[in-house]
């Protein structure tokens, strides 16, 4: 038997599409709207959630038999808060400017519905390995949407990707700007993130009729 059975593999693959935490479960939508104006911020937030959810799911799973039911939410909050503090300190140490860009949104990972939802719905009832896979799968599903939204918002709003000018120079009028292209400033506003997410949901559901029936 391989490291991943078919059932285990679905814990990773399902959240990437048919059970995506943002587009299907409509969880964690706030950060998808708030920090996706830049692709770099989207990637860093995705990696942060990947770490917190992957490690957090394992910790909660290991503790599941000794956590009193009445205080399980408090324990979950302590675990996720500890992991978020680690992420925040690492960002401040190695990517200070980016940590200022993400600002309060790193701290808000603590209240991300995806993380608390997976702790409660999965990690408390399954072993560490399955919980790890579930955490990684849901974090990747979250990351895919954040990166797609961040890609289009930065590209169309600023003409850059990861801060690199890919459409030309708007001041010197090179590249597409020489043809009259102008950056769409609306793409940098949060409502446009909601529209981009809506388009992703529409495309996803149009390709999978079962999601429409649900």
């Amino acid at each position: 038997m391989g490291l991943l059975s078919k059932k285990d593999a679905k814990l990773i693959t399902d959240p990437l599409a048919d059970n995506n935490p943002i587009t299907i479960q409509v969880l964690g939508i706030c950060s998808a709207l708030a920090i996706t104006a830049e692709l770099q911020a989207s990637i860093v937030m995705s990696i942060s959630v990947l770490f917190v959810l992957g490690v957090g799911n394992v910790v909660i799973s290991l503790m599941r038999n000794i956590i009193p039911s009445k205080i399980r939410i408090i324990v979950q909050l302590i675990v996720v808060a500890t992991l978020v503090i680690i992420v925040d300190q690492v960002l401040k140490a190695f990517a200070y400017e980016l940590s200022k860009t993400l600002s309060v949104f790193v701290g808000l990972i603590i209240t991300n519905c995806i993380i608390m939802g997976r702790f409660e719905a999965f990690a408390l009832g399954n072993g560490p390995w399955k919980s790890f896979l579930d955490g990684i799968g849901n974090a990747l599903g979250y990351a895919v949407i954040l990166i797609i939204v961040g890609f289009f918002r930065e590209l169309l709003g600023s003409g850059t990707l990861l801060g690199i000018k890919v459409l030309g120079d708007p001041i010197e009028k090179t590249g597409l700007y020489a043809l009259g292209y102008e950056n769409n400033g609306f793409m940098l506003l949060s409502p446009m993130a909601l529209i981009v997410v809506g388009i992703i949901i529409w495309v996803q559901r149009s390709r999978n009729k079962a999601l429409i029936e649900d």
Side-chain angles (χ1 to χ4, degrees):
M1 179 182 290
L3 186 62
L4 285 179
S5 66
K6 184 175 292 187
K7 190 174 181 179
D8 288 345
K10 289 189 69 176
L11 294 174
I12 295 178
T13 58
D14 276 3
L16 293 175
D18 294 343
N19 196 28
N20 188 277
I22 292 181
T23 60
I24 303 302
Q25 301 175 46
V26 197
L27 299 174
I29 200 81
C30 295
S31 52
L33 306 182
I35 55 91
T36 51
E38 297 179 2
L39 181 57
Q40 185 182 37
S42 300
I43 293 172
V44 172
M45 179 62 81
S46 298
I47 294 172
S48 300
V49 171
L50 183 69
F51 169 76
V52 172
L53 188 49
V55 176
N57 253 17
V58 172
V59 172
I60 294 297
S61 176
L62 290 171
M63 298 172 61
R64 70 188 187 281
N65 294 323
I66 61 173
I67 300 176
S69 178
K70 292 182 179 180
I71 63 167
R72 69 185 190 283
I73 300 299
I74 297 174
V75 173
Q76 292 169 22
L77 285 172
I78 291 172
V79 170
V80 70
T82 301
L83 294 172
V84 168
I85 290 172
I86 293 173
V87 168
D88 187 46
Q89 293 302 308
V90 169
L91 284 176
K92 287 180 178 177
F94 298 102
Y96 183 69
E97 291 301 319
L98 188 57
S99 74
K100 290 198 298 183
T101 299
L102 292 173
S103 183
V104 69
F105 297 107
V106 171
L108 287 177
I109 293 176
I110 296 172
T111 59
N112 191 312
C113 298
I114 299 172
I115 296 174
M116 296 302 294
R118 297 327 296 169
F119 284 0
E120 184 75 9
F122 198 91
L124 281 175
N126 292 274
W129 176 239
K130 287 183 181 294
S131 296
F132 175 73
L133 296 178
D134 177 79
I136 294 299
N138 279 274
L140 288 176
Y142 169 86
V144 166
I145 303 302
L146 246 66
I147 291 171
I148 291 174
V149 175
F151 175 89
F152 284 107
R153 288 186 71 192
E154 182 178 352
L155 179 65
L156 300 178
S158 303
T160 62
L161 287 175
L162 298 175
I164 301 172
K165 296 176 181 178
V166 296
L167 299 182
D169 192 314
I171 298 177
E172 297 181 1
K173 298 298 180 182
T174 59
L176 287 183
Y177 298 102
L179 303 176
Y181 177 80
E182 295 289 340
N183 291 330
N184 185 349
F186 284 113
M187 291 299 293
L188 302 178
L189 302 178
S190 295
M192 289 307 298
L194 185 61
I195 291 174
V196 175
V197 171
I199 292 172
I200 296 172
I201 293 173
W202 172 68
V203 171
Q204 186 176 18
R205 290 175 181 264
S206 66
R207 295 182 60 186
N208 190 337
K209 303 302 181 184
L211 296 177
I212 299 177
E213 294 174 1
D214 292 341

